[in-house]
Amino acid sequence: QVQLVESGGGLVHPGGSLRLSCTVSGNIVNIWSMGWYRQAPGKEREMVATITNGGSTNSADSVKGRFAISRDNAKNTVYLQMNSLKPEDTAVYYCNADITYKNYAEEFVAWNAWGQGTTVTVSS
């Protein structure tokens, strides 16, 4: 009933930039916080950046000054602008959102949703 669809991953040289997008679709009532997480091979998933529905942001120390999270509430979309990319940024990036939606019975349902992931590879 609710889907998160990510796009924008790919291969980029060190120092390059990418912009990830994640759009939430479905019978959405409200989207609370949204965020990006990443998981590198052999490592645990970690928070990259989050943003509340009021626009307050938080980001990991490793990406401060290089990555910027933003959202367009009218489009139910969150973005991650990634600049000055480093090889250590290579990972699968996942979108996350705290959502309230209506199910088929018209009941309000709270759900923490994940996207399918998009791969970012930083390599020369």
Side-chain angles (χ1 to χ4, degrees), residues 1-6 22-35 37 45 71 95-104 107-116:
Q1 293 179 340
V2 175
Q3 278 191 314
L4 276 63
V5 179
E6 299 141 335
C22 171
T23 299
V24 182
S25 62
N27 198 7
I28 304 299
V29 175
N30 201 10
I31 303 175
W32 306 99
S33 66
M34 304 181 82
Y37 293 73
R45 191 173 298 188
R71 63 191 281 174
C95 174
N96 176 265
D98 284 318
I99 298 166
T100 300
Y101 70 95
K102 277 189 178 181
N103 63 12
Y104 293 118
E107 298 166 329
F108 289 97
V109 179
W111 187 37
N112 182 261
W114 291 91
Q116 80 284 357

Side-chain angles (χ1 to χ4, degrees), residues 3 9 15 46 70 79 93 118:
Q3 278 191 314
E46 62 176 358
S70 61
Y79 305 96
Y93 284 70
T118 185

Side-chain angles (χ1 to χ4, degrees), residues 71-90:
R71 63 191 281 174
D72 185 333
N73 291 330
K75 295 181 179 180
N76 290 341
T77 299
V78 63
Y79 305 96
L80 185 69
Q81 178 66 45
M82 304 185 293
N83 299 325
S84 302
L85 282 159
K86 304 175 181 179
E88 51 263 43
D89 295 318
T90 296

